[in-house]
């Protein structure tokens, strides 16, 4: 069977050097931005400029040598809260991605293996769930469980699992139609052996890229929940809660709103750039073009 060559693939083959040079900065930038937030979060585990509960900095103090980002309306150090917020963002992102990855992959693969009528029914149900925004579904779960850090992780993970499940189903169905899967079944391989040896290894690269993108969605969802008062309660210094607390003093003390906003942007952009770079590395057509 002849291979269909897309215009993008032709462009890659015609100038592989130029395309490679353009991809490398994306991956490097993604790693650098993500690593910056990771380092800040790790440092916060062993050192903070000031304890989160310390109120001795004066209310809404501007940035200075003693408080590099100033203080909030209660006199707490903003840099310390920002560092702890990095830790919370990473914990929520990783936890939500883990839940959505495991649950979504399980549902997607089982759906692909199901009988046609059951496959169609489950696919329709997934489409209905996906039609609702992640934040709305997360708000419903948090409203039932009560606001907490672990409720936010569970809510966001469950909300994102439908997207992962649909992608897993599509990828798994493609793999199950391949000749090597047919050969494995003919030779007597069990369904579990086919999934373990053929389906999961072949869908893993694409799923990893999708989960990297879902990480950014989880960070934004957690910040939104905290902004609405449904995320991690005080004294957890979530970036969303910092934005909510600073909105009333944004004109007199703008750093309190700008700093957490930039932190969210840096992490989300870093993860998205990283996912884009991983896609270039795992996509066989792009890799072949090089």
């Amino acid at each position: 069977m002849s291979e269909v060559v897309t215009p993008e693939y032709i462009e890659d083959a015609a100038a592989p050097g130029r395309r490679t040079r353009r991809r490398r900065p994306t991956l490097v930038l993604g790693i650098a931005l993500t690593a910056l937030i990771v380092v800040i979060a790790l440092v916060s585990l062993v050192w903070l400029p000031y304890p989160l509960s310390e109120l001795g900095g004066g209310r809404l103090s501007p940035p200075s040598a003693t408080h590099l980002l100033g203080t909030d309306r209660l006199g707490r150090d903003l840099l310390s809260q920002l560092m702890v917020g990095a830790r919370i963002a990473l914990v929520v992102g990783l936890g939500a991605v883990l839940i959505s990855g495991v649950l979504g992959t399980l549902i997607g693969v089982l759906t692909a293996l199901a009988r046609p009528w059951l496959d169609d029914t489950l696919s329709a149900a997934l489409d209905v769930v996906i039609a609702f925004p992640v934040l709305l579904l997360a708000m419903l779960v948090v409203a039932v469980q009560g606001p907490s850090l672990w409720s936010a992780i569970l809510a966001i993970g469950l909300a994102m699992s439908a997207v992962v499940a649909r992608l897993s189903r599509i990828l798994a169905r493609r793999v199950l139609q391949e000749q090597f899967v047919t050969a494995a079944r003919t030779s007597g391989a069990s369904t579990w052996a086919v999934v373990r040896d053929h389906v999961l290894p072949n869908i893993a690269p694409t799923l990893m890229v999708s989960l990297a993108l879902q990480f950014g969605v989880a960070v934004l969802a957690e910040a939104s929940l905290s902004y609405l008062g449904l995320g991690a309660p005080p004294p957890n210094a979530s970036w969303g809660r910092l934005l909510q607390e600073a909105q009333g003093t944004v004109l007199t003390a703008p750093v309190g709103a700008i700093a957490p906003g930039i932190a969210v942007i840096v992490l989300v952009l870093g993860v998205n750039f990283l996912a884009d770079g991983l896609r270039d590395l795992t996509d066989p057509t792009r890799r072949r073009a090089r």
Side-chain angles (χ1 to χ4, degrees):
M1 182 181 294
S2 60
E3 181 179 1
V4 178
V5 182
T6 63
E8 180 182 5
Y9 181 69
I10 295 174
E11 180 184 353
D12 286 354
R18 183 173 69 252
R19 297 285 295 187
T20 301
R21 286 194 299 269
R22 190 167 67 182
R23 287 172 186 155
R24 283 178 181 170
T26 301
L27 180 60
V28 173
L29 181 59
I31 294 174
L33 294 178
T34 306
L36 175 62
I37 302 300
V38 171
V39 169
I40 292 175
L42 292 176
V43 171
S44 72
L45 293 174
V46 296
W47 176 82
L48 289 173
Y50 296 92
L52 292 182
S53 58
E54 184 170 328
L55 308 177
R59 296 180 65 255
L60 301 177
S61 299
S64 62
T66 55
H67 297 278
L68 296 181
L69 294 180
T71 60
D72 63 5
R73 59 183 182 178
L74 298 178
R76 298 171 297 185
D77 182 68
L78 282 175
L79 179 58
S80 300
Q81 297 185 75
L82 201 70
M83 293 173 66
V84 174
R87 186 201 313 167
I88 293 176
L90 292 177
V91 169
V92 172
L94 291 174
V97 165
L98 180 62
I99 292 174
S100 64
V102 173
L103 183 60
T105 302
L106 179 62
I107 295 175
V109 172
L110 291 178
T111 303
L113 293 170
R115 295 182 180 275
W117 66 269
L118 182 57
D119 180 21
D120 294 339
T121 302
L122 295 176
S123 299
L126 289 176
D127 290 337
V128 171
V129 175
I130 293 173
F132 291 90
V134 171
L135 181 59
L136 179 59
L137 292 176
M139 289 173 61
L140 293 176
V141 176
V142 170
V144 174
Q145 295 289 328
S148 69
L149 179 61
W150 301 112
S151 294
I153 294 174
L154 177 62
I156 297 171
L158 292 177
M160 296 192 308
S161 62
V163 177
V164 179
R166 184 172 67 173
L167 177 61
S168 300
R169 170 188 170 273
I170 294 173
L171 296 175
R173 284 180 62 87
R174 290 178 181 174
V175 175
L176 291 172
Q177 295 172 359
E178 296 291 338
Q179 294 182 355
F180 57 83
V181 173
T182 303
R185 286 176 167 172
T186 303
S187 64
S190 63
T191 301
W192 163 244
V194 170
V195 172
R196 180 194 60 202
D197 298 334
H198 301 289
V199 175
L200 292 180
N202 281 280
I203 70 176
T206 305
L207 279 181
M208 293 300 294
V209 175
S210 175
L211 290 176
L213 293 173
Q214 293 295 318
F215 185 97
V217 175
V219 171
L220 290 175
E222 189 280 329
S224 301
L225 287 176
S226 296
Y227 183 86
L228 297 173
L230 298 176
N236 295 295
S238 168
W239 288 340
R241 189 173 62 81
L242 293 179
L243 285 170
Q244 190 275 333
E245 292 178 350
Q247 66 178 357
T249 58
V250 65
L251 296 179
T252 56
V255 177
I258 294 175
I262 291 178
V264 172
I265 292 173
V266 168
L267 181 55
V268 173
L269 283 181
V271 173
N272 286 347
F273 286 148
L274 182 59
D276 188 60
L278 290 175
R279 182 189 61 190
D280 291 338
L281 292 176
T282 58
D283 190 335
T285 59
R286 294 173 181 263
R287 187 167 60 247
R288 192 184 309 120
R290 297 182 182 180

